Amino acid sequence: MRLCKVLPLVGHTVRNAGPAALQQQNHQHRHYCTPVVNIFDRNVKRLQRERAAKREDVELYDYIKEEVGYRLADRIFDIKRQFTNAVDLGASRGYVTNHVLGETVQKLTAIDLSPSMLAQIKGSPGLDFSVREMDEERFQFEPDTLDLVVSSLSMHWINDLPACFRAVNRALKPDGVFIGAMFGGDTLYELRSALQLAEQERRGGLAPHISPFVQIRDVGMLLNRGGFTMLTIDTDELVIGYPSMYELMFDLKGMAESNAAFNRPLHVGRDTLMAAAAIYKDMYARKEEGVSATFQIIFFVGWKPCASQPQPAERGSATVSLKDLDKVMTPKGGSGCKS
């Protein structure tokens, strides 16, 4: 974790000086600094993605990201317009790019932190796409050059989401759209609870084994701060069964979704893992067999403001009071339903 150091006030005694001189000297020697806190180690996340991409069975772990990417591509198709220049932010192995139609997007640029992931993107027939290695935290495109930015299950590893949203908004043209999906706060709550209870029992304390996720109530606020309007936010849950907790953890590693927080514990005791697996099975067992794991997906759509977009009416311009709403909505010639 990197914190910005705040320098102390350098004090010098000024003799025979008035209050104005003392105040001027204090302003000269006082140093103000805003702390910068990085939660996630981006270099570790890049290494995790590189290792996952080089596995021979990498396709076995695509089931969640492939499903969410297909749903996002379907939402792009629902917008009845043709996008000339689009970006897939955090493209990974092309979970969105591989489903986008060339009839909808003329040109698409897939960017990701991992070059090995980008090399495995196939694209869809007729789609003009290119790849570009770029850290999602350093999203840099010329202002007002894009009309679509899409991101699927990548932004939950970004340290400064407001800055990323502002950079996306800056790169979009007026009336451009930002479509994304990210893991929500209820993701893997079963695994989090089991590890916390086991560690509390075995070690007498807690450690952050599961990285933090954004809450759905915060997504709209962050998008508004980023300059987006006409927001649409919804959530869905994918509940997946596993034989035990160990298979879940193994799959998370194959997805490159292992913990990358700076304060993560590097080792977990065998006794703690065995206790967590027993607690997991006892609390979250499936009716058939094995255990279940929940992945909360937050979908959102935000638009860059434009004069052609629908605007709210001016305050005080209403012609009907809410107390008279029943009279306006009641059909003339009678009230209520007729049998």
Side-chain angles (χ1 to χ4, degrees):
M1 183 175 294
R2 180 169 59 88
L3 292 176
C4 187
K5 184 177 180 182
V6 181
L7 299 178
L9 175 66
V10 180
H12 295 279
T13 304
V14 180
R15 301 180 184 276
N16 301 323
L22 289 174
Q23 185 177 6
Q24 181 180 3
Q25 187 209 26
N26 287 343
H27 283 297
Q28 289 175 352
H29 293 284
R30 188 184 300 273
H31 299 274
Y32 296 96
C33 185
T34 302
V36 178
V37 179
N38 287 332
I39 300 175
F40 305 115
D41 190 335
R42 297 293 297 176
N43 185 52
V44 168
K45 181 51 57 181
R46 182 183 64 83
L47 294 176
Q48 291 176 356
R49 293 180 181 177
E50 285 287 296
R51 294 191 187 105
K54 294 177 181 178
R55 294 176 62 104
E56 295 181 357
D57 57 349
V58 60
E59 295 181 356
L60 293 178
Y61 310 101
D62 287 345
Y63 50 92
I64 294 178
K65 296 186 177 181
E66 189 72 25
E67 173 65 22
V68 176
Y70 176 80
R71 296 186 185 185
L72 276 182
D74 189 58
R75 296 188 179 213
I76 297 174
F77 184 75
D78 289 338
I79 301 176
K80 303 304 179 183
R81 71 165 64 172
Q82 187 178 40
F83 300 99
T84 57
N85 194 11
V87 166
D88 186 356
L89 174 62
S92 191
R93 298 183 65 245
Y95 302 112
V96 177
T97 303
N98 294 340
H99 297 291
V100 173
L101 300 178
E103 303 171 357
T104 305
V105 178
Q106 292 183 2
K107 182 180 178 181
L108 187 144
T109 303
I111 66 173
D112 195 86
L113 187 67
S114 167
S116 299
M117 288 283 189
L118 292 173
Q120 299 180 22
I121 298 179
K122 301 175 182 179
S124 61
L127 176 66
D128 180 14
F129 79 95
S130 61
V131 298
R132 179 176 173 184
E133 183 181 350
M134 179 188 295
D135 191 341
E136 298 96 310
E137 287 192 344
R138 295 171 175 84
F139 184 85
Q140 293 180 353
F141 282 84
E142 293 295 325
D144 301 330
T145 56
L146 307 175
D147 46 12
L148 169 67
V149 176
V150 60
S151 179
S152 178
L153 301 184
S154 171
M155 290 183 295
H156 57 285
W157 293 116
I158 294 179
N159 285 296
D160 194 351
L161 268 179
C164 179
F165 288 168
R166 289 193 297 269
V168 171
N169 185 275
R170 190 182 309 114
L172 284 172
K173 300 176 183 178
D175 203 32
V177 61
F178 182 27
I179 305 176
M182 58 195 307
F183 286 122
D186 290 340
T187 299
L188 297 176
Y189 74 88
E190 303 96 338
L191 181 60
R192 189 192 307 270
S193 301
L195 287 171
Q196 288 178 348
L197 291 174
E199 201 157 40
Q200 181 70 30
E201 175 193 359
R202 300 287 173 162
R203 298 288 182 263
L206 301 178
H209 296 286
I210 309 297
S211 62
F213 298 103
V214 67
Q215 297 293 332
I216 187 172
R217 61 178 178 269
D218 299 326
V219 175
M221 176 192 66
L222 293 173
L223 287 169
N224 274 322
R225 287 178 56 187
F228 292 96
T229 185
M230 296 196 304
L231 306 180
T232 303
I233 303 173
D234 61 279
T235 182
D236 196 4
E237 287 187 353
L238 301 178
V239 181
I240 302 175
Y242 295 91
S244 70
M245 183 192 76
Y246 300 110
E247 284 77 11
L248 167 61
M249 298 176 68
F250 193 79
D251 278 17
L252 290 175
K253 182 179 179 180
M255 299 175 195
E257 292 297 333
S258 300
N259 194 356
F262 278 103
N263 61 345
R264 69 191 185 281
L266 299 181
H267 303 283
V268 183
R270 180 178 298 180
D271 58 336
T272 302
L273 284 177
M274 295 179 65
I279 294 172
Y280 202 125
K281 184 177 181 179
D282 183 66
M283 295 180 63
Y284 306 108
R286 303 183 69 193
K287 293 182 179 179
E288 304 85 5
E289 187 179 358
V291 297
S292 61
T294 301
F295 295 86
Q296 184 188 34
I297 315 297
I298 300 175
F299 296 93
F300 62 85
V301 178
W303 297 80
K304 185 170 182 177
C306 179
S308 63
Q309 294 174 350
Q311 302 294 329
E314 296 183 3
R315 185 177 180 87
S317 61
T319 58
V320 179
S321 174
L322 288 176
K323 66 179 181 179
D324 299 328
L325 197 60
D326 59 329
K327 301 177 182 178
V328 177
M329 299 183 66
T330 302
K332 295 180 179 181
S335 59
C337 298
K338 294 183 179 180
S339 56

